[in-house]
Amino acid sequence: MNSFFKPVRTIIFFSISAISVLVVIFAYAKLSVQPVRPLAQNKDDIERGSIVDRSGFPLAVQTNFYHVGVSARNIRDDEAKQAAFARDIAPLLEMDESLVLSIISSSKSFVYLKKKIDSTTFETIKKMTDAKGYNFVSYEKIPGRNYPNHDLASQLIGYMGDDGKGLAGIEFSQQDILSPEPHSGEESVQAKNVFLSIDANLQYKLEKIARESMSETQAESMMLIAADAKSGEVLSYISFPSADLNNYSTSSQSARIDRPAMNAYEPGSVFKIFSVGIVYDEHGISPNETFVCDGVYEKRLANGERIRIKCLEHHGTLTARDAIRLSCNDVLGQISDRIGEDDFISRIRMLGFGQRTGVELPGETTGTVKDNTSPLWSARSKPTIAIGQEISVSALQMVQAATAIANGGIPVQLTFIHKITNKDGTTFFTHEPLYKNRVFARNTADYILSCMETTAKIGTGSRANLRDVAIGVKTGTAQMADPNGGYSETDFLSSCMAIFPVDDPQIILYIVVEKAKGETYGGRIVAPVIGEAADVIIDHLGMSRGGAASLEHSGVIKLATPQTITLGSVVPDFTGKSKKDLLPLLNRTDVTLTISGNGWVTSQKPEPGTPVTENMVIELNLE
């Protein structure tokens, strides 16, 4: 030991120790002269904004959920108390007593019995546990989301996860609007409410039609989009199967897919309206020019290659209008010969194919549009694309392109946002139509629309004809790709595009049925659905009908002043109240209204006269 403490080592050791002590003293001295910082205050959680339809009808609202936990060590050695507790709480949590007991026995400290129970159930359980003296039960309050209409427009609305972040749909894309994060230097931020462009009542009616159609055709999936042709606002957006947003975690993967935005598919014969429009706009064909369909489009190239595209019929002599009306592959192939490959593909891209539409939805596909320089391009690519094959599109792209036909050659940007308001109701943003560059001459758009009207009157779309409102349609049936290569002999994609009224287009309606059983032709299974859905839209929006009956009226209409609903210390009787009557209560932060159905209130929970408690959930059933 004495040999270790040599003078040099001793000096180095004490020098380092002295320096360390001086550094510590200096640090404490520096802190002592600095002003004391105030303790950071916990900031109130910002309530997430609501998602409502264009009229303010609630689609996604903020609520509170509770996790129910048990301190298992406090009752681990008392089997009688465990049994009594399980017997009391199991029915309230909708669980088996044996399951409650097994959960408690599985932990030596703390364990959750059930997560995300609603406020009404929480109040009932807490009242019971307080009365019974079950002080080993604890509750964790967490912010959550309530979707009062369950699976209505579910892929559009989207879903919020337990962490308060949107995971899909508008909940995801508008996260910064619904629940903004404060930036550096900001003390507070304000969440906003998003008014979607869809009409919830119209959505409900069209979803009913879509479900009936899927049932009748035994289809695997279905898409429906109804858009305002003038403003680009989407009024109804359907993707079936759909998921109950209140039970999103247990839904199937198929029910979560936003098909109109994410799925890319070959559009089939509906695409022919764009092919004819492009060639007509390039002056490659004229209205009265005729072509001969002999049942097959056939062409022999200089290198000896032979192209053959079959047609369903031997149509004989046809104009371009007839080719659309009868959906003739042979004549469409001949029409495609009137335009060069570069010009044809360029014009297709001008219509928006091969790129995202830019709507407010995540995961949107670009589809695929081949260039003639691609290794996959062949001599048959141009005529094949002209009839809707060798190109993949989304349903949103098809509707976006159709706005050019409806608006005299000028497409309008599609949107799902009608307006955005602050929490106090003041308007933050209002949608204004965004028109794009012209893609068709006015006379071209009018010509294609008139061809679609002919198709509805005496062509493949005759089952969509409305009689008292002029409608233009184009049907399509496309073989789906076979996973093993080529095209399937059993799986088809049946579709129909509609624009109406023809004289002043207001609505674009597009429906796609995937993998129907039995009959698959779009003109036979989708055109009737187009007609039914168009009828509903016309009546719902109050559009005029040419054959509608007229009535004389004084012009004076008396409106009864609705009685304001007040929510005091007890729950009122909501029976007979309409959804509109309930809207003022949706701004309340101390209670949550859950609305199921449409029409007027027929039943409620809790019963009238029940004392109002904080964070109470009031369930209302409407018919």
Side-chain angles (χ1 to χ4, degrees):
M1 289 292 293
N2 291 337
S3 63
F4 178 80
F5 289 105
K6 294 180 179 179
V8 175
R9 289 183 177 178
T10 303
I11 293 172
I12 292 174
F13 172 76
F14 282 107
S15 297
I16 293 174
S17 299
I19 292 171
S20 300
V21 170
L22 289 174
V23 169
V24 172
I25 293 173
F26 176 76
Y28 274 99
K30 184 178 179 181
L31 290 173
S32 66
V33 298
Q34 289 181 347
V36 178
R37 294 182 180 179
L39 293 175
Q41 300 295 319
N42 291 330
K43 295 183 179 179
D44 294 334
D45 291 334
I46 300 171
E47 183 178 343
R48 188 178 181 88
S50 297
I51 300 175
V52 299
D53 83 337
R54 63 188 302 111
S55 64
F57 181 80
L59 301 173
V61 294
Q62 188 75 0
T63 189
N64 290 317
F65 292 107
Y66 296 84
H67 295 338
V68 181
V70 174
S71 179
R73 63 175 175 271
N74 291 344
I75 57 171
R76 186 173 61 247
D77 300 326
D78 193 334
E79 293 185 1
K81 182 178 285 189
Q82 288 184 34
F85 172 66
R87 184 170 56 252
D88 290 335
I89 202 168
L92 301 181
L93 291 176
E94 297 181 347
M95 298 171 63
D96 291 332
E97 291 182 30
S98 59
L99 178 59
V100 173
L101 290 171
S102 66
I103 293 174
I104 294 173
S105 61
S106 67
S107 174
K108 295 181 179 180
S109 54
F110 177 84
V111 65
Y112 284 113
L113 281 183
K114 195 168 187 178
K115 293 186 176 182
K116 292 189 71 173
I117 65 169
D118 59 46
S119 298
T120 301
T121 306
F122 160 71
E123 292 288 347
T124 304
I125 292 175
K126 191 172 189 307
K127 184 178 179 180
M128 182 273 292
T129 54
D130 289 347
K132 297 278 188 176
Y134 293 144
N135 56 7
F136 48 84
V137 182
S138 61
Y139 308 95
E140 181 183 350
K141 179 180 176 182
I142 60 170
R145 205 67 159 158
N146 178 262
Y147 301 96
N149 302 285
H150 301 280
D151 65 343
L152 188 81
S154 63
Q155 290 92 346
L156 171 59
I157 296 168
Y159 176 74
M160 188 190 80
D162 291 341
D163 61 353
K165 303 290 185 182
L167 300 179
I170 294 296
E171 291 275 35
F172 177 85
S173 70
Q174 303 302 301
Q175 172 70 24
D176 292 339
I177 296 294
L178 294 166
S179 184
E181 295 284 346
H183 297 291
S184 177
E186 288 184 324
E187 294 186 0
S188 64
V189 290
Q190 187 182 46
K192 297 175 176 62
N193 298 325
V194 175
F195 284 67
L196 297 183
S197 59
I198 67 167
D199 182 316
N201 284 327
L202 179 61
Q203 178 80 15
Y204 174 81
K205 294 174 183 178
L206 295 181
E207 284 196 6
K208 182 179 179 182
I209 292 174
R211 283 194 176 90
E212 291 173 353
S213 174
M214 281 193 67
S215 176
E216 291 173 1
T217 62
Q218 300 180 55
E220 185 174 290
S221 64
M222 185 171 182
M223 298 179 275
L224 183 153
I225 301 175
D228 186 314
K230 303 296 185 186
S231 69
E233 293 191 4
V234 177
L235 303 178
S236 181
Y237 188 78
I238 298 173
S239 176
F240 280 167
S242 56
D244 184 341
L245 296 176
N246 292 312
N247 297 290
Y248 190 79
S249 60
T250 60
S251 63
S252 66
Q253 182 61 38
S254 176
R256 301 179 189 181
I257 299 173
D258 180 3
R259 288 175 171 80
M262 295 180 175
N263 279 14
Y265 57 90
E266 291 188 349
S269 294
V270 173
F271 197 79
K272 291 173 182 176
I273 58 176
F274 304 119
S275 299
V276 172
I278 289 170
V279 180
Y280 186 93
D281 205 60
E282 291 282 340
H283 307 291
I285 56 174
S286 61
N288 298 321
E289 185 175 2
T290 59
F291 304 83
V292 176
C293 167
D294 58 5
V296 61
Y297 168 78
E298 191 169 13
K299 187 176 182 180
R300 187 179 296 276
L301 304 181
N303 61 4
E305 183 181 354
R306 188 182 180 188
I307 302 169
R308 287 177 57 87
I309 299 176
K310 291 183 179 180
C311 192
L312 292 175
E313 301 286 346
H314 289 68
H315 291 115
T317 303
L318 303 177
T319 62
R321 179 186 299 273
D322 295 327
I324 291 178
R325 175 175 65 87
L326 300 173
S327 201
C328 178
N329 290 343
D330 186 355
V331 171
L332 257 292
Q334 296 176 56
I335 288 174
S336 72
D337 288 335
R338 302 293 183 86
I339 188 172
E341 293 175 348
D342 288 337
D343 290 337
F344 187 51
I345 295 301
S346 175
R347 294 296 297 265
I348 287 174
R349 293 187 183 279
M350 284 175 60
L351 284 166
F353 297 107
Q355 58 191 291
R356 296 178 179 88
T357 64
V359 295
E360 304 86 355
L361 285 174
E364 188 182 3
T365 182
T366 61
T368 55
V369 178
K370 291 189 295 188
D371 290 318
N372 59 353
T373 57
S374 168
L376 299 176
W377 185 272
S378 69
R380 64 177 291 126
S381 291
K382 181 157 61 80
T384 304
I385 291 173
I387 63 173
Q389 296 179 351
E390 284 196 41
I391 181 174
S392 68
V393 304
S394 71
L396 283 170
Q397 288 174 338
M398 292 291 285
V399 175
Q400 180 82 76
T403 63
I405 297 173
N407 285 300
I410 301 175
V412 61
Q413 173 67 47
L414 294 180
T415 184
F416 291 102
I417 305 297
H418 179 58
K419 67 177 179 179
I420 298 173
T421 65
N422 297 312
K423 280 292 187 179
D424 60 8
T426 59
T427 301
F428 173 77
F429 165 82
T430 300
H431 171 254
E432 295 290 339
L434 177 61
Y435 293 99
K436 302 186 176 186
N437 295 330
R438 178 178 289 278
V439 296
F440 287 140
R442 176 82 201 200
N443 69 309
T444 299
D446 291 344
Y447 171 70
I448 295 301
L449 192 54
S450 70
C451 291
M452 294 175 69
E453 182 180 15
T454 302
T455 303
K457 289 180 177 179
I458 55 173
T460 59
S462 59
R463 298 189 183 191
N465 195 21
L466 300 178
R467 296 185 306 279
D468 54 359
V469 174
I471 184 172
V473 303
K474 180 67 189 83
T475 62
T477 307
Q479 286 178 285
M480 300 184 68
D482 190 311
N484 299 319
Y487 288 96
S488 171
E489 295 295 329
T490 58
D491 295 338
F492 292 84
L493 189 143
S494 313
S495 61
C496 187
M497 177 76 74
I499 301 174
F500 59 92
V502 169
D503 56 346
D504 182 21
Q506 302 292 322
I507 300 294
I508 297 170
L509 178 61
Y510 182 52
I511 299 178
V512 179
V513 175
E514 185 176 345
K515 295 184 180 180
K517 304 296 187 297
E519 181 62 73
T520 58
Y521 284 116
R524 297 174 185 170
I525 66 172
V526 187
V529 184
I530 284 280
E532 185 180 0
D535 260 331
V536 167
I537 293 170
I538 291 167
D539 289 342
H540 183 85
L541 299 181
M543 299 168 64
S544 62
R545 290 180 178 271
S550 60
L551 297 172
E552 290 187 3
H553 194 276
S554 65
V556 178
I557 301 174
K558 295 182 179 180
L559 298 176
T561 303
Q563 185 176 359
T564 303
I565 301 176
T566 57
L567 188 62
S569 58
V570 297
V571 177
D573 187 354
F574 290 97
T575 305
K577 300 298 182 183
S578 68
K579 282 186 177 179
K580 187 174 182 180
D581 296 333
L582 303 173
L583 289 179
L585 296 181
L586 297 176
N587 294 324
R588 297 281 293 252
T589 58
D590 54 336
V591 297
T592 299
L593 254 66
T594 300
I595 302 173
S596 301
N598 289 281
W600 291 265
V601 178
T602 57
S603 63
Q604 68 182 76
K605 181 183 178 182
E607 298 297 325
T610 303
V612 174
T613 58
E614 184 181 0
N615 297 320
M616 172 182 277
V617 174
I618 301 175
E619 300 177 3
L620 302 177
N621 297 310
L622 281 67
E623 293 182 6

